[in-house]
Amino acid sequence: MIMIKNTLKETDPQIYDFLKNEKHRQNFGLEMIPSENFVSKAVLEALGSIGTNKYSEGYPGKRYYGGNKNIDDIELLAIERAKKLFNAEHANVQPLSGSPANMQAYFALLELGDKILGMNLAHGGHLTHGHPVNFSGKFYKFSQYGVREDDHRIDYDEVRKIAEKEKPKLILSGATAYPREIDFKEFDEIAKDVGAISMADVSHIAGLIVSDVHKHCFPYTDVVTTTTHKTLRGPRGAIILCKEKYAKAIDKAVFPGMQGGPHNHTNAAKAVAFGEALRPEFKNYAVQIVKNAKVLADELIDYDFKLISGGTDNHLILIDLTNKNVTGKQAEAALDEANITVNKNMVPFDKRSPFDPSGIRIGTPAITARGLKEQEMVDVAAYINEVIENIDNREKILKVKEKVVELSSRFIIYD
Ligand SMILES: *Cc1c(COP(=O)(O)O)cnc(C)c1O
């Protein structure tokens, strides 16, 4: 009885310290990985709640365990808010993360071995969009579309051509490293014309869609998956949204198809995040994410960085560092030394390997959540340039780190 009432610091000072160190890192560096974000205190509170104690296999009103009145209230509110955010007919809020959500959607809509048309991984697609090491590439026959070599935009004529030739059962849109807006209506028209189901994985851009900064998937797309922890600024997790026609199949694929009991603390936190995203302030946030990305892109172009597609419409920028004689891996490590966190990334038509590719991917969702605006983007671009220009000069990089720490300390996120 004593142990159960102890604080983390009392019970486990090691983990307490590791988390304290991580909080310090988050507060005093610039988190510029485009798939990351900072959740609010309210979301953290729900996530650390007693929701974690409860088993509730099934769905609201149809559980396999007793005592679920409060959990039903939480899940129903999460569902209602998710539907409202995405203009969806149906929402399942139980998927544990983005990859399981994609697996559940495929299981709901396809037979093993069926054909899917998705985005080429090397051009910005995700592992679950058909990579051979992933379940998706093992269980389904993928064909892939990419971006054009000259302007790095999705080639919708090519998508149509492959779709007509391959006759996939599912056409998948969505990406992890595509800096331009995606035309879901066009994807859906191609799918309709070849008798395929249209699915969009909007994990990266969900926050931009629900704020009307990018166009919505519905009423076009049949099934939409998204993580909740990227631009949507919720806890780690995912949801599946769909037209009523697919509701039953999706729910069955999530439970009992693949998962057991839902993570009710996470679902409570999802509900809180969706409530935040429904407020007008969230729209301002999403607008600012893109404004910041555009200023950062323009500044980097002025420093002669080569941006894939020449700029950005969303929260991310993909840079080809070839002209700087720096690899993605070197850039990631040097920027890390200056407390700027980014990730190395393949660029379309990359001649290097995924372990040391030609590019880096940077994003503005997390730094925008802290309150950084256009003026700070000018500084951030200068810092990135200074590090890349002085890639072998540790002294200069540590000078940049001092400036990054100073800037960050004016925008402390967690006290
Ligand atoms: C992040 C991401 C996922 C995977 O999400 P996890 O929660 O890491 O499993 C799936 N699809 C896309 C497009 C993503 O960006």
Side-chain angles (χ1 to χ4, degrees), residues 359-379:
I360 51 169
R361 190 181 67 148
I362 62 179
T364 54
I367 55 175
T368 304
R370 296 175 76 156
L372 275 69
K373 292 212 164 72
E374 290 91 329
Q375 182 50 49
E376 287 79 31
M377 293 308 115
V378 175
D379 296 334

Side-chain angles (χ1 to χ4, degrees), residues 218-276:
F218 296 114
Y220 311 112
T221 316
D222 293 315
V223 177
V224 174
T225 58
T226 179
T227 52
T228 46
H229 49 272
K230 297 179 185 174
T231 48
L232 204 47
R233 224 169 70 189
R236 306 202 82 75
I239 54 175
I240 304 177
L241 306 134
C242 63
K243 293 186 177 166
E244 194 54 46
K245 185 177 165 190
Y246 299 101
K248 255 199 165 134
I250 290 290
D251 284 352
K252 265 176 71 180
V254 174
F255 174 85
M258 193 192 150
Q259 292 183 184
H263 291 192
N264 297 308
H265 55 309
T266 306
N267 292 351
K270 285 177 189 172
V272 175
F274 299 159
E276 290 176 348

Side-chain angles (χ1 to χ4, degrees), residues 202-215:
V202 299
S203 290
H204 261 263
I205 51 169
L208 305 182
I209 291 174
V210 302
S211 315
D212 301 317
V213 174
H214 279 202
K215 284 190 212 68

Side-chain angles (χ1 to χ4, degrees), residues 35 96-100 102 125-126 128-129 174-176 201-204 227 229-230 236-237:
S35 46
L96 299 175
S97 217
S99 299
N102 282 344
H126 187 258
T128 54
H129 300 184
T176 62
D201 172 358
V202 299
S203 290
H204 261 263
T227 52
H229 49 272
K230 297 179 185 174
R236 306 202 82 75

